[in-house]
Amino acid sequence: MADEFIKGLGILTGAGLAWMVLASWYRTSSFESTKQLIEPLSSGATEGIFNIIGVTLMDAFLWFAILGALTFWVLIPVGHQIMSALEERRNAQ
């Protein structure tokens, strides 16, 4: 279980850091604002191929951080529990 936890934590921190860097570039108009990192994209954020790649990666890193951590912290342990319960039920018969 510690192996799944550290994998989920690594995904969450790594992808979360990448998302925070990209969100600070594309979603923060000023550092005096109270909506840093969650502001709507500025009008010039989708002009040019590198800006489009940056915005796409920003969304991809956010979802990878959320779904990756949930996969290793919830889905894989639940799968192990289900498989062990089925194995115990099969051995009890």
Side-chain angles (χ1 to χ4, degrees), residues 24-47:
S24 68
W25 286 343
Y26 291 108
R27 293 193 182 266
T28 302
S29 60
S30 72
F31 291 106
E32 297 165 354
S33 171
T34 59
K35 294 185 177 184
Q36 294 179 7
L37 304 178
I38 58 170
E39 289 180 357
L41 291 173
S42 62
S43 61
T46 57
E47 295 177 3

Side-chain angles (χ1 to χ4, degrees), residues 9-63:
L9 184 65
I11 287 173
L12 182 66
T13 56
L17 177 64
W19 173 79
M20 283 180 24
V21 168
L22 290 172
S24 68
W25 286 343
Y26 291 108
R27 293 193 182 266
T28 302
S29 60
S30 72
F31 291 106
E32 297 165 354
S33 171
T34 59
K35 294 185 177 184
Q36 294 179 7
L37 304 178
I38 58 170
E39 289 180 357
L41 291 173
S42 62
S43 61
T46 57
E47 295 177 3
I49 189 71
F50 291 116
N51 287 337
I52 293 171
I53 291 170
V55 169
T56 304
L57 280 175
M58 177 179 55
D59 293 337
F61 280 131
L62 175 65
W63 285 108

Side-chain angles (χ1 to χ4, degrees), residues 71-93:
T71 298
F72 281 102
W73 291 345
V74 176
L75 296 178
I76 291 175
V78 166
H80 286 304
Q81 291 292 325
I82 290 172
M83 293 303 290
S84 66
L86 289 174
E87 187 67 32
E88 287 177 14
R89 181 178 285 180
R90 188 178 324 146
N91 290 336
Q93 292 178 353

